[in-house]
Amino acid sequence: MDISVKEIEHIADLSRITLTVDEKNTFAKQLTNILGYIEKLNELDTDEVQPMAYATFLKNVFREDKLKSSFSRQEILELSPSSANGFFKVPKVIE
Amino acid sequence: MLSHELSANQIKEKIIKREITAQEVIEELFEWINLKEPLIKAYLCLDRDGAFLKAKEVDKKLDNGDKVGLLAGVPVALKDNICTVDIKTTCASKILEDFIPPYDAFVVKRIKEEDAIIIGKTNLDEFAMGSSNENSAFHVTRNPWNTDCIPGGSGGGSAAAVTADTVFMALGSDTGGSVRQPSAFCGNVGCKPTYGRVSRYGLVAFASSLDQIGSVTKDVYDAALLLQVVSGHDGFDSTSATVGVPDYISDINNVDGNLKIGVPKEFFGEGLNSEVGSAVMNALEIYKKNGAELIDLSLPHCGYAVATYYIIATAEASSNLARYDGVRYGHRSQLSEDNIIDMYSRVRAEGFGSEVKRRILLGNYVLSSGFYEDYYLKASKVRNLIRNDFEDAFKKVDCIISPTCPTPAFRIGEKITDPLQMYLSDIYTIPANLVGIPGISVPCGFTNTGLPIGMQILGKHFDERKILKVAKLFENGTDFHLKKPELN
Amino acid sequence: MKYEVVMGLETHAELDTESKLFCGCSTKFGSEPNTQTCPVCLGLPGVLPVMNKKAFEHSLKAALSLSCEISEFTNFDRKSYYYPDLPKNYQTSQNYFNIGNNGYVDIVVKGKEKRIDIHNVHLEEEAGKLVHPETSGANYSLVDFNRAGVPLLEIVTQPDMRSVEEVESYMQTLRNILLYIGVSDCKMQEGSLRFEASISLREEGSNVLGNRVEIKNLNSMKAVLKVIAYEISRQSSLLDKGEDVLMETRLWDDVDSVSRRMRSKEEAHDYRYFPEPDLVPVWIDQEWIDETRTTIPELPVSKRQRFVNEYTISDYDAGILTDDKLLADYFEECVGLSQDSPKELSNWIINDVLRELNERKTNVQDFIVSPKMLVDLVKIKPAIGSSIAKDVFVEMINTGKTAPSIVKEKSLTQMGDVSELNDIVAKVIDENPKAAEDYGKGKKSALTFLIGQTMKVTKGKANPKILTEIFKEKLSAGSK
Ligand SMILES: [Zn+2]
């Protein structure tokens, strides 16, 4: 299946990545190539096969509802490129 | 012999016996690093001060006659996607260029408790996505055996450093072969334990159901030593196994009973470099001479492993890497910020390299509306078929031996423009990640041009002990692991 | 044209746990911004989630209480969308295998019972909070992640509701159930309980569903009811004009009481769900289900029925008492102490206790008058009469003293001793001959005056009923 530049634009949008025109063209070609290779999975009949989403057989893993001390706000906010008054700061969000 | 040429266990013994102090080891090591690192560029960051501080502490303990840990005074390097307090953890990405984690990864805590000395963070393909190290945002690490060649990836930095003796052992991560493949290319021992054997807490996620922390060492004994330290249950990782950790070290030289080795035909077919093929065949002969039984096998669905992997790994990666948005940490665009969506898109466009972008796009594509069943679900089902292949095989054999990679290290730039060819270089290592079983790569020969060749031993779930023994059996009868590159 | 309105509701209830869903940070409301965060709930590189057992058990309990089928196999999925209050830019939720499916809630509207089907009940993590500075020209928003990662239960109905009353009753019934089983404090003012409504209109009698409008940001039941009224009128006027109702997501603006089209791109709705590989599946066996069932108390609907049968109080009163589990418990504790007057106790609680609770904005748990105190008051009432009993009740609230001690202190016991009253009445008649005469002439108000005079003398302690009898007897005897 060929991936069009338009499809690349749509996925880039979903991925929140701005692409240059060159990137769009290159990625369209490369993804077409890779997805073409992936097509070989269709040789297999998997109707009766259960999906394997986990590489572990573990189940029911929980922790007790116990408080642990949080990190200091200063330490946390120091990681941030932009903060103000104890908050993380972002461009105005319009809902 | 110069101190840096010793194995981790040898240097530890010397330090404990006070034949050399930990500080002297660090001193000599950094002298060697100053000499050789410019040729190899294995590190993204070195922590000389931190190393000396810890060395001092270890020496003090020993001088006082206090108990010391299993890695007392051993210099260790960490792949730069393992979080370290106070030391930058960049994942070789611009987006985390200045990120200093406020916490230590589980494995970092463990090796610190055992008195290891962390000397620095090693280079990798950005976010561990790649097979050559060329996807690092900062520089390309060279293969110490031939500096025109790639060291492998994604953990090329760790492998190159261990081979160049600029560290004694290293920890890496293996999502599709990122510990085993560079170890094969650089001629050292790389072990990927069973999924869940070593906590992933603090390993920056690439593909959560495939990622596993592993060891890069000079020999098999050191691999056992390092795994002994980092294995075990961790309450901060829901996928961390509760299975007890056996003693890997004490009877590593005893392979009990009749050893049955599976030889899967799918791993010796088309695309396999003849020198690599014959080196592995020779190794199998050595096993045979040692009384092992070789059993021909088929793992019929392994031919689909790469396709399956690139759906699952990219799907998980696309979501794992969604958090890099410039809000809470990491790179933020210098351009004006009038709109949150533009900010995200710019931060990520500026912060990620092409391979990461390519995989995020592919991952979002296979998960997007209308494609989930055709791609992600399909791949999850094929993954189960591959697991069944291995389960059937392990009913008949104790371990499976194959080449680690179809070719020896390739030249820098050789495959970088063709992502699919690059992906196919992981064809033999990927199945272990899909299935979750342990695998180890050991050196088993050299090409005519002097590049190392690696042999892969795969084991049953949680049977690291067996593959370490099988690897040791081979190592005991050979000297490939002792060869050193000339670094000028 | 006449339209039928078709509505469904998604309810988000924050679960009542000490710590967050995946880390040990506190869930406490109202702390300084970003003081309850850690690498896990901020989604720092390398962190992993570990599920809070209590949160999962609460969800299971809720699913059972809403009569859901419980999945033997459940797991968690990542729901991807970019929003600055979502640390990982995906929300760990459930999509393919929810904890509970196909449940129902029975509601009563205008005396008629109706069953609202529950599509599913699932567990997910809460997002942080965005603050939009009021200062004019501020071109930024602020993010507080204290709330990020608080366990959140989502309850999704089928589009079964057809009127504002049904929606109101559903919300109240659901809230009541969640409070009864103790999984959420349901404090709407703190955002613990929030709603999203889907509303579509169709021509009456038609089977075809109209285009669905989803409304987010409904932080109170009042807002839900307002938005429904607003949407019904908005959508029907569009349809009347022959225009289409757009399938879209709108936001409710509580200040201006209007719904507005969402401007963010989130309406694209491609959540790219896939199984969360950092968590392992949860298998729920029959034993676990049975064990959880034993922790579910009697739910409001059956309690109400039982109150009617057991205590012979009206269905209406039983409804009020069971509307609040704590109130129902209070009532039953009272009845346990004094079996002979459930009806009277119920009246006291519904009229007096509730009024005081409302005035004092407190709940029955913190109410100073304990069930034992109320029962003692009701027991002593025949001796002091209703009007004094009400005064004593107020005194109990103000002082925390028991009814018997107040009555004793203030010597409030009514004079019911006829011989003692006889003497006083005779004296009052002697002192007020004019009034006695007037009564004899048929002037009824004269009696009121005389009783008033007697009350003055006795400081209100005379039993007015007995007093009236004595006066009538004496005055009619005198006139003979
Ligand atoms: Zn937290």
Side-chain angles (χ1 to χ4, degrees):
Chain A
M1 203 208 312
D2 274 16
I3 303 294
S4 65
V5 166
K6 213 175 153 220
E7 279 175 287
I8 290 289
E9 284 170 346
H10 170 66
I11 313 162
D13 215 30
L14 275 181
S15 311
R16 295 282 190 269
I17 300 176
T18 309
L19 297 180
T20 63
V21 176
D22 277 358
E23 279 178 319
K24 286 177 196 171
N25 289 323
T26 312
F27 286 145
K29 241 180 281 164
Q30 289 172 334
L31 257 61
T32 298
N33 194 19
I34 296 164
L35 288 165
Y37 174 75
I38 284 172
E39 296 265 294
K40 72 187 287 182
L41 294 185
N42 295 329
E43 295 165 9
L44 298 171
D45 177 3
T46 52
D47 287 354
E48 305 297 314
V49 183
Q50 283 297 309
M52 170 184 169
Y54 304 94
T56 164
F57 294 100
L58 287 170
K59 57 175 188 177
N60 299 25
V61 173
F62 296 108
R63 46 173 268 273
E64 292 306 313
D65 179 27
K66 279 208 186 95
L67 278 186
K68 277 187 54 187
S69 51
S70 291
F71 272 49
S72 93
R73 179 165 74 182
Q74 195 193 341
E75 191 180 359
I76 291 294
L77 289 178
E78 268 170 16
L79 298 171
S80 171
S82 183
S83 62
N85 310 326
F87 292 92
F88 293 87
K89 200 171 157 188
V90 294
K92 191 168 182 64
V93 179
I94 305 155
E95 285 168 310
Chain B
M1 212 184 229
L2 297 164
S3 70
H4 58 258
E5 291 185 345
L6 298 170
S7 75
N9 188 55
Q10 285 167 337
I11 200 73
K12 178 188 107 179
E13 294 295 328
K14 272 179 159 324
I15 294 169
I16 288 175
K17 288 182 191 141
R18 307 316 277 146
E19 290 169 23
I20 190 169
T21 66
Q23 288 167 91
E24 282 161 356
V25 170
I26 296 296
E27 191 103 34
E28 289 179 30
L29 183 66
F30 271 93
E31 267 172 43
W32 183 249
I33 288 172
N34 286 340
L35 228 50
K36 300 302 172 188
E37 174 61 10
L39 305 173
I40 305 302
K41 296 192 184 152
Y43 287 95
L44 288 176
C45 149
L46 284 157
D47 183 20
R48 200 172 189 277
D49 295 346
F52 271 107
L53 218 63
K54 180 73 186 183
K56 222 171 177 175
E57 185 194 313
V58 174
D59 283 336
K60 202 172 161 192
K61 274 192 196 174
L62 285 163
D63 291 342
N64 291 343
D66 294 343
K67 198 173 172 293
V68 287
L70 276 172
L71 298 176
V74 177
V76 178
L78 302 167
K79 189 178 180 181
D80 204 25
N81 60 351
I82 297 174
C83 286
T84 40
V85 156
D86 297 338
I87 308 176
K88 275 199 291 189
T89 300
T90 68
C91 297
S93 178
K94 280 221 156 41
I95 215 157
L96 287 177
E97 193 165 6
D98 299 310
F99 177 66
I100 302 174
Y103 74 102
D104 268 336
F106 173 86
V107 291
V108 173
K109 275 193 192 148
R110 276 282 173 97
I111 63 167
K112 280 182 175 172
E113 281 160 15
E114 296 297 336
D115 291 323
I117 299 172
I118 294 167
I119 61 157
K121 307 291 290 283
T122 53
N123 199 13
L124 63 151
D125 286 294
E126 185 179 0
F127 282 102
M129 296 178 183
S131 310
S132 69
N133 236 271
E134 291 162 292
N135 296 327
S136 167
F138 305 119
H139 57 251
V140 181
T141 297
R142 308 280 164 154
N143 191 315
W145 294 94
N146 179 344
T147 50
D148 290 334
C149 286
I150 55 100
S154 63
S158 287
V162 170
T163 298
D165 289 330
T166 53
V167 78
F168 288 79
M169 54 182 17
L171 283 171
S173 65
D174 190 313
T175 306
S178 288
V179 158
R180 290 162 289 157
Q181 186 253 30
S183 292
F185 284 180
C186 291
N188 43 47
V189 175
C191 183
K192 177 204 100 76
T194 310
Y195 183 85
R197 180 47 106 192
V198 179
S199 168
R200 291 182 293 119
Y201 193 80
L203 167 67
V204 180
F206 158 15
S208 311
S209 80
L210 301 159
D211 293 343
Q212 180 57 208
I213 284 179
S215 60
V216 182
T217 54
K218 296 181 181 183
D219 61 29
V220 177
Y221 189 95
D222 282 358
L225 183 63
L226 188 48
L227 286 181
Q228 197 77 61
V229 169
V230 296
S231 297
H233 182 252
D234 174 19
F236 288 93
D237 175 357
S238 303
T239 62
S240 165
T242 46
V243 184
V245 181
D247 182 348
Y248 296 136
I249 304 167
S250 59
D251 65 343
I252 193 163
N253 287 312
N254 304 321
V255 177
D256 10 62
N258 285 340
L259 182 62
K260 286 184 187 158
I261 298 173
V263 184
K265 65 173 188 214
E266 288 80 7
F267 288 62
F268 291 86
E270 203 191 328
L272 176 61
N273 170 291
S274 60
E275 283 184 281
V276 174
S278 49
V280 177
M281 293 316 277
N282 290 340
L284 288 169
E285 282 308 309
I286 293 176
Y287 278 113
K288 212 167 163 185
K289 273 184 209 142
N290 277 281
E293 187 185 343
L294 302 184
I295 296 171
D296 287 335
L297 279 181
S298 173
L299 299 162
H301 297 98
C302 275
Y304 300 95
V306 174
T308 302
Y309 175 84
Y310 276 93
I311 293 173
I312 291 168
T314 58
E316 293 182 6
S318 70
S319 126
N320 281 330
L321 271 63
R323 70 190 62 194
Y324 305 104
D325 59 7
V327 175
R328 285 143 293 121
Y329 46 81
H331 173 79
R332 181 98 158 226
S333 179
Q334 295 304 306
L335 298 166
S336 74
E337 296 182 341
D338 44 348
N339 171 321
I340 185 89
I341 295 171
D342 289 349
M343 180 195 102
Y344 286 155
S345 306
R346 264 201 306 263
V347 161
R348 295 162 63 77
E350 291 170 9
F352 292 138
S354 333
E355 181 60 25
V356 172
K357 286 179 190 169
R358 188 156 39 240
R359 295 200 195 192
I360 290 175
L361 293 175
L362 183 57
N364 275 312
Y365 181 80
V366 299
L367 289 175
S368 66
S369 175
F371 296 112
Y372 177 81
E373 292 195 2
D374 286 348
Y375 290 108
Y376 181 82
L377 200 63
K378 179 84 186 180
S380 302
K381 289 176 168 185
V382 178
R383 187 179 186 180
N384 211 359
L385 292 174
I386 298 169
R387 177 164 69 186
N388 291 341
D389 282 359
F390 278 90
E391 273 172 11
D392 289 346
F394 281 123
K395 282 176 195 148
K396 291 174 260 176
V397 299
D398 301 304
C399 65
I400 291 170
I401 287 183
S402 77
T404 308
C405 313
T407 66
F410 41 91
R411 301 182 85 78
I412 291 170
E414 190 178 325
K415 294 187 181 180
I416 196 68
T417 52
D418 189 346
L420 184 57
Q421 281 314 305
M422 190 73 93
Y423 297 172
L424 287 168
S425 71
D426 296 332
I427 193 159
Y428 301 148
T429 45
I430 278 173
N433 299 86
L434 289 172
V435 178
I437 53 173
I440 188 167
S441 175
V442 290
C444 72
F446 287 86
T447 64
N448 286 333
T449 56
L451 288 171
I453 295 169
M455 165 176 75
Q456 173 176 244
I457 307 163
L458 300 174
K460 300 173 189 174
H461 281 101
F462 300 105
D463 205 6
E464 286 82 5
R465 195 157 168 263
K466 174 73 84 192
I467 59 171
L468 286 165
K469 284 176 177 209
V470 173
K472 191 72 166 69
L473 178 67
F474 180 76
E475 194 183 80
N476 286 344
T478 55
D479 64 354
F480 302 114
H481 63 290
L482 296 174
K483 296 259 192 321
K484 303 271 180 197
E486 277 177 41
L487 271 172
N488 297 308
Chain C
M1 210 172 315
K2 277 219 135 220
Y3 300 103
E4 183 183 36
V5 54
V6 177
M7 290 172 289
L9 220 57
E10 285 179 19
T11 306
H12 285 103
E14 284 183 0
L15 293 173
D16 204 354
T17 56
E18 289 289 313
S19 65
K20 292 186 180 180
L21 186 54
F22 298 128
C23 65
C25 289
S26 170
T27 57
K28 208 175 118 224
F29 176 82
S31 302
E32 284 290 297
N34 294 305
T35 52
Q36 284 160 203
T37 62
C38 72
V40 174
C41 55
L42 285 171
L44 257 55
V47 297
L48 296 169
V50 185
M51 173 93 40
N52 183 331
K53 188 164 193 203
K54 180 103 165 268
F56 191 89
E57 285 171 342
H58 275 351
S59 310
L60 179 58
K61 197 168 167 183
L64 285 168
S65 303
L66 299 171
S67 307
C68 285
E69 294 161 10
I70 304 300
S71 310
E72 189 189 11
F73 172 94
T74 70
N75 66 354
F76 293 83
D77 298 298
R78 292 184 181 177
K79 176 183 182 179
S80 292
Y81 63 93
Y82 280 85
Y83 214 68
D85 63 5
L86 192 62
K88 295 166 293 194
N89 288 316
Y90 62 79
Q91 179 192 31
T92 303
S93 179
Q94 298 189 288
N95 184 56
Y96 298 110
F97 298 94
N98 298 301
I99 290 182
N101 294 293
N102 306 324
Y104 59 84
V105 171
D106 288 330
I107 60 169
V108 181
V109 175
K110 292 175 189 154
K112 272 171 77 182
E113 211 169 271
K114 174 163 179 175
R115 179 158 290 185
I116 307 298
D117 283 335
I118 302 288
H119 182 271
N120 77 74
V121 172
H122 66 261
L123 174 59
E124 60 188 22
E125 60 181 330
E126 177 76 285
K129 233 170 101 180
L130 277 178
V131 179
H132 307 291
E134 303 275 322
T135 35
S136 65
N139 61 344
Y140 59 90
S141 299
L142 299 169
V143 201
D144 171 11
F145 289 105
N146 280 351
R147 209 180 65 174
V150 166
L152 197 61
L153 190 70
E154 181 168 338
I155 301 149
V156 184
T157 71
Q158 297 283 10
D160 280 357
M161 286 164 274
R162 297 287 179 271
S163 69
V164 175
E165 290 78 17
E166 286 180 14
V167 172
E168 184 172 24
S169 173
Y170 168 74
M171 289 191 293
Q172 273 163 356
T173 309
L174 178 66
R175 176 174 178 272
N176 218 354
I177 291 172
L178 296 178
L179 284 171
Y180 259 67
I181 61 176
V183 299
S184 173
D185 65 17
C186 294
K187 286 184 185 161
M188 273 174 280
Q189 66 279 14
E190 294 182 4
S192 297
L193 191 67
R194 309 191 298 273
F195 305 93
E196 288 177 23
S198 73
I199 306 166
S200 69
L201 260 50
R202 65 177 168 203
E203 251 177 73
E204 219 160 63
S206 163
N207 282 324
V208 190
L209 281 174
N211 270 349
R212 204 168 53 149
V213 174
E214 282 181 37
I215 321 278
K216 295 191 177 223
N217 198 30
L218 302 168
N219 295 327
S220 68
M221 293 191 192
K222 245 189 218 150
V224 175
L225 302 178
K226 277 203 263 182
V227 85
I228 293 171
Y230 179 86
E231 276 298 311
I232 292 174
S233 95
R234 186 184 74 88
Q235 292 183 27
S236 55
S237 76
L238 280 174
L239 294 172
D240 284 345
K241 282 186 273 177
E243 289 174 30
D244 281 342
V245 172
L246 288 178
M247 182 109 94
E248 62 183 357
T249 303
R250 298 174 74 89
L251 274 184
W252 177 244
D253 181 335
D254 216 15
V255 180
D256 296 345
S257 285
V258 290
S259 73
R260 289 200 177 95
R261 200 164 177 207
M262 271 183 95
R263 279 196 273 173
S264 65
K265 282 192 180 173
E266 280 328 312
E267 50 194 322
H269 283 325
D270 189 348
Y271 291 132
R272 290 153 283 156
Y273 284 105
F274 77 100
E276 162 63 279
D278 286 331
L279 292 169
V280 300
V282 181
W283 289 79
I284 305 170
D285 58 17
Q286 195 54 46
E287 197 184 336
W288 193 1
I289 293 175
D290 293 343
E291 219 171 86
T292 308
R293 267 193 216 285
T294 64
T295 67
I296 298 173
E298 184 184 28
L299 294 176
V301 175
S302 34
K303 196 183 281 277
R304 179 175 182 162
Q305 198 53 55
R306 183 170 62 80
F307 278 14
V308 171
N309 296 339
E310 208 166 300
Y311 305 123
T312 54
I313 57 175
S314 72
D315 180 61
Y316 179 80
D317 287 355
I320 295 175
L321 289 174
T322 55
D323 203 32
D324 174 352
K325 177 166 187 294
L326 294 175
L327 199 67
D329 290 347
Y330 186 90
F331 169 68
E332 287 216 273
E333 212 175 309
C334 290
V335 175
L337 293 165
S338 163
Q339 283 89 348
D340 40 335
S341 48
K343 174 74 190 144
E344 183 163 14
L345 285 164
S346 152
N347 286 342
W348 270 98
I349 292 169
I350 289 169
N351 298 322
D352 303 278
V353 174
L354 271 185
R355 186 193 58 240
E356 292 297 331
L357 292 179
N358 286 336
E359 266 171 28
R360 279 153 217 271
K361 294 192 172 34
T362 175
N363 63 51
V364 73
Q365 218 170 7
D366 303 328
F367 191 46
I368 194 159
V369 178
S370 68
K372 170 90 172 58
M373 286 164 76
L374 186 70
V375 167
D376 286 347
L377 174 63
V378 171
K379 276 185 181 157
I380 210 171
K381 200 191 87 177
I384 56 176
S386 304
S387 75
I388 292 180
K390 304 267 171 189
D391 296 341
V392 170
F393 180 66
V394 173
E395 189 75 11
M396 286 162 69
I397 295 167
N398 290 336
T399 63
K401 289 179 181 161
T402 63
S405 77
I406 292 170
V407 168
K408 197 175 163 205
E409 248 172 53
K410 303 207 164 179
S411 331
L412 291 177
T413 313
Q414 280 188 342
M415 295 166 79
D417 185 335
V418 179
S419 65
E420 196 184 345
L421 284 177
N422 263 331
D423 296 347
I424 298 172
V425 167
K427 207 173 153 216
V428 170
I429 291 175
D430 280 353
E431 283 168 7
N432 299 283
K434 172 104 185 19
E437 201 178 314
D438 285 351
Y439 182 78
K441 287 177 189 156
K443 199 175 170 189
K444 295 272 188 269
S445 65
L447 180 59
T448 319
F449 172 78
L450 289 168
I451 291 174
Q453 292 303 305
T454 317
M455 280 299 186
K456 245 186 211 166
V457 176
T458 60
K459 291 183 181 119
K461 279 187 273 180
N463 184 324
K465 232 183 191 166
I466 298 170
L467 214 54
T468 312
E469 293 305 310
I470 297 172
F471 267 112
K472 277 186 180 166
E473 199 188 301
K474 279 208 187 306
L475 290 173
S476 61
S479 69
K480 265 178 205 165

